[in-house]
Amino acid sequence: MDAQQQDGRRYTQPAADTRPAVDAVERLPWAALVTMALTVLVVVSGEMMPTAVLPAMATDLDVSLARAGLLVSAWAATVVVASFPLTRLTARLDRPTVIAGALTVFGVATLVTATADTYGSAMASRLVAAGATGLLWSTINAHAASIVPEQRIARATAIVLFGGMLGTVAAIPAGNAVAELAGWRAPFAGIGVLGLIAAVAVVVVLQRYPVVVGDDDDKVAATSSRRALWPVLATAGVGGLLLVAHFAPFTFVAELLEPSAVPTPVLLLLFGLVGAGGVGFVGVTSDRYPTGVLVVVALAMAISLSGLPALGHHGAVDVLVIAVWGLAVGAVGPAVQARVMALAGSEHRATAGTLMPVAMNLGLALGAAAGSGAVALWSTAALPLLALAPALLAVIGSVLLGRGVPSRHKAGHRADLARSTA
């Protein structure tokens, strides 16, 4: 401290503020994350759109409703099959370029769907769009984790996946309303155009945000110890189980909600709104409690599914069951993805990014198929018990994973968290 004389008195000059400035890398890259969230919103809307206009689409393409429904299930199957090979094929390209390219293919293919005059051309364009979507999901998952510090992955993931939640909640009613006014082709055309606009936005925005230090695979390979891959695979498996548990009954949600005194649209709106809250819950808590949040989400899913047989007995109970179910469903994606990305580190980030769309779409397909089989053999009354089995397996798996993750993963997270709160 420097002492100086002034007006006969000595005073001491305050020392310069030596507190470290907040490193720019510690701040969330909001422009990039919001751009990716809007991208996800567009893509999820494209994925969900056939369910909003299926009767009109089937009539116009001169096919049965069941055959038109294959436009949805074939999409999920294509994402499962195409994600890994396409990700490997584009591994040497920078991620913003891959995301923009996938969006361009998605946009063009969706415009082709909007102009399709036969079922075959509609199916072909949907399969191309689905392949591009699998690549986009794989790349966005990895890129969102790579442009933030490891202790901010959950928050970044929640921001990006909030776009997906909005797409899930808004795409069906918005697409249905547009189709009522202008025909089923109009919403597909709009989504195709938005996909191309999003591709331009990705090129402009994402290139400004480099990956954080440590995301260089070659540097990682040179380090003395490597992260185990099995916790990444096992956590993705837990996410898949939770999606199986959800989609088995949700495929028939209209029938399940029919006995309730509360109108079905009101319950579905509540489901979507609370689901958005689930995304926020993960964003706020998962960075600090990475293992506990996944256990809580799995428990909430199991509890809500066990309450499905009570639907229709009392309006307040119906609201409570749907609220817990919606909260769990909204939280599943970001909770699993954030945990997978944190466990993967930069060493397995590309693999982890690809695992997520594969596990989620496989869970969707298996859950819907299992639910359909149960209804065909028995009735919708069998769905809660069927769904509860994979949900309980997911609870057990998340608990065991919390105890069994190698100490290197836990120590690394604690160190990152200590740095972020210092």
Side-chain angles (χ1 to χ4, degrees):
M1 296 185 184
D2 297 326
Q4 297 184 16
Q5 190 81 21
Q6 181 174 322
D7 297 332
R9 293 170 294 176
R10 291 179 60 84
Y11 76 95
T12 303
Q13 181 176 338
D17 190 354
T18 57
R19 291 175 297 175
V22 177
D23 192 345
V25 80
E26 292 290 329
R27 303 191 192 102
L28 286 177
W30 279 99
L33 295 175
V34 170
T35 298
M36 287 188 281
L38 293 174
T39 293
V40 169
L41 169 61
V42 172
V43 170
V44 170
S45 297
E47 179 179 359
M48 301 295 294
M49 194 50 60
T51 63
V53 299
L54 205 59
M57 200 174 184
T59 300
D60 196 26
L61 297 176
D62 195 24
V63 295
S64 67
L65 195 63
R67 195 176 179 198
L70 292 176
L71 293 169
V72 178
S73 56
W75 177 290
T78 301
V79 171
V80 171
V81 172
S83 293
F84 270 106
L86 288 177
T87 302
R88 295 280 294 179
L89 187 65
T90 58
R92 294 189 177 277
L93 301 175
D94 71 288
R95 292 186 188 123
T97 299
V98 174
I99 295 171
L103 274 170
T104 301
V105 173
F106 166 86
V108 171
T110 304
L111 288 173
V112 173
T113 303
T115 59
D117 55 359
T118 66
Y119 176 77
S121 58
M123 175 63 80
S125 64
R126 288 287 292 173
L127 295 182
V128 171
T133 298
L135 174 60
L136 186 142
W137 271 117
S138 303
T139 311
I140 271 190
N141 288 339
H143 195 64
S146 71
I147 62 173
V148 297
E150 189 165 342
Q151 66 273 15
R152 295 286 185 265
I153 286 177
R155 190 162 299 180
T157 297
I159 293 168
V160 173
L161 291 190
F162 189 75
M165 176 57 65
L166 285 179
T168 302
V169 173
I172 294 178
N176 185 266
V178 172
E180 287 289 330
L181 293 173
W184 71 266
R185 299 176 186 274
F188 281 98
I191 290 171
V193 171
L194 288 175
L196 298 177
I197 294 172
V200 175
V202 164
V203 172
V204 172
V205 176
L206 294 196
Q207 296 287 0
R208 294 163 44 202
Y209 295 89
V211 299
V212 298
V213 176
D215 196 51
D216 189 318
D217 291 336
D218 294 332
K219 291 178 181 178
V220 170
T223 59
S224 58
S225 60
R226 295 182 61 84
R227 295 187 185 224
L229 184 58
W230 73 261
V232 178
L233 298 171
T235 304
V238 167
L241 283 172
L242 289 171
L243 266 293
V244 170
H246 164 60
F247 276 104
F250 191 74
T251 305
F252 302 92
V253 68
E255 289 83 351
L256 291 171
L257 297 180
E258 188 176 357
S260 176
V262 183
T264 295
V266 173
L267 290 175
L268 289 177
L269 177 61
L270 172 67
F271 185 92
L273 293 175
V274 176
V279 177
F281 164 75
V282 172
V284 171
T285 60
S286 194
D287 284 321
R288 186 170 293 274
Y289 307 105
T291 58
V293 167
L294 186 54
V295 174
V296 170
V297 170
L299 277 171
M301 179 72 79
I303 291 169
S304 64
L305 294 176
S306 67
L308 290 182
L311 290 175
H313 290 83
H314 194 284
V317 174
D318 298 346
V319 168
L320 179 61
V321 170
I322 292 302
V324 177
W325 192 10
L327 182 73
V329 171
V332 163
V336 174
Q337 182 167 311
R339 190 68 186 129
V340 163
M341 287 299 176
L343 289 170
S346 53
E347 294 153 277
H348 303 303
R349 188 155 285 155
T351 300
T354 310
L355 276 173
M356 289 306 301
V358 169
M360 296 303 176
N361 280 276
L362 193 57
L364 185 159
L366 291 177
S372 298
V375 171
L377 287 173
W378 301 293
S379 69
T380 55
L383 292 174
L385 183 61
L386 172 71
L388 194 57
L392 291 175
L393 285 175
V395 172
I396 295 169
S398 60
V399 171
L400 293 177
L401 278 170
R403 294 179 176 179
V405 172
S407 58
R408 181 172 179 266
H409 289 284
K410 294 180 179 179
H413 177 80
R414 283 196 297 267
D416 290 333
L417 187 60
R419 284 193 298 269
S420 70
T421 57

